[in-house]
Amino acid sequence: MENFSYSSYPESGESSPISREIDSENQSWDDPPSTNATANNNGNYRVKFLCSYGGKIQPRSHDNQLAYVGGDTKILAVDRNIKFSTMIAKLSSLCGGDSEVCFKYQLPGEDLDALITVTNDEDLDHMMLEYDRLHRGSAKPARLRLFFFPLSPPLV
């Protein structure tokens, strides 16, 4: 059996984790998802939500589990640092823009009876953290599901 030294394989030094510089050496697990390090530090990237509106949450007849029935679902992409008032305006414009809306989001793996209401910038920040967690834990594109409802019934 031959005895090889590391000098016999000069390219092997680059494969050692100790010999390479790692770009994400100081990156925290809590950093937002992005492939661009500058975008990570600034928090400037877009998030995508599945937005459902115009329908109702009601139990299914065959198993009594809650389901969203009717309405429309669209994908909405917004800046990660969006403010609550701007988010409300964007959601309102999706459904015609003629009424104020409130919105809730569904945590992955949770049923529709556990929706979380967003009422201010702090709640929105928490929702974005949930989006970040979902994004890190998934190989496919992360899309948190939002449901929004008019605050006042439509005039007929």
Side-chain angles (χ1 to χ4, degrees), residues 32-79:
S34 176
T35 55
N36 182 339
T38 306
N40 270 349
N41 294 335
N42 296 333
N44 294 330
Y45 58 94
R46 295 183 68 78
V47 296
K48 292 182 180 179
F49 300 106
L50 285 173
C51 299
S52 296
Y53 59 95
K56 295 180 180 181
I57 296 173
Q58 50 191 12
R60 293 186 295 219
S61 60
H62 66 278
D63 63 2
N64 232 17
Q65 292 282 18
L66 293 178
Y68 192 77
V69 180
D72 292 313
T73 298
K74 294 183 180 178
I75 295 175
L76 175 66
V78 297
D79 289 332

Side-chain angles (χ1 to χ4, degrees), residues 17-29:
I18 297 171
S19 66
R20 307 180 260 192
E21 287 187 32
I22 300 172
D23 293 338
S24 61
E25 182 172 279
N26 295 323
Q27 187 172 5
S28 161
W29 284 103

Side-chain angles (χ1 to χ4, degrees), residues 3-11:
N3 190 7
F4 294 103
S5 70
Y6 288 112
S7 60
S8 301
Y9 299 100
E11 69 279 356

Side-chain angles (χ1 to χ4, degrees), residues 55-146:
K56 295 180 180 181
I57 296 173
Q58 50 191 12
R60 293 186 295 219
S61 60
H62 66 278
D63 63 2
N64 232 17
Q65 292 282 18
L66 293 178
Y68 192 77
V69 180
D72 292 313
T73 298
K74 294 183 180 178
I75 295 175
L76 175 66
V78 297
D79 289 332
R80 168 65 171 77
N81 294 324
I82 193 169
K83 294 294 180 197
F84 178 75
S85 59
T86 308
M87 184 74 169
I88 288 290
K90 286 189 178 285
L91 293 174
S92 181
S93 69
L94 276 180
C95 61
D98 52 353
S99 68
E100 287 188 62
V101 296
C102 67
F103 74 99
K104 302 174 183 224
Y105 64 97
Q106 181 181 17
L107 288 173
E110 293 292 327
D111 292 328
L112 292 178
D113 60 349
L115 296 179
I116 300 169
T117 304
V118 179
T119 59
N120 55 36
D121 284 323
E122 185 178 347
D123 292 345
L124 187 60
D125 289 340
H126 288 290
M127 184 181 82
M128 293 300 182
L129 291 174
E130 289 296 340
Y131 177 91
D132 294 342
R133 186 176 293 132
L134 175 63
H135 182 81
R136 275 194 310 272
S138 175
K140 58 184 178 180
R143 290 206 180 89
L144 207 58
R145 190 164 182 194
L146 304 182

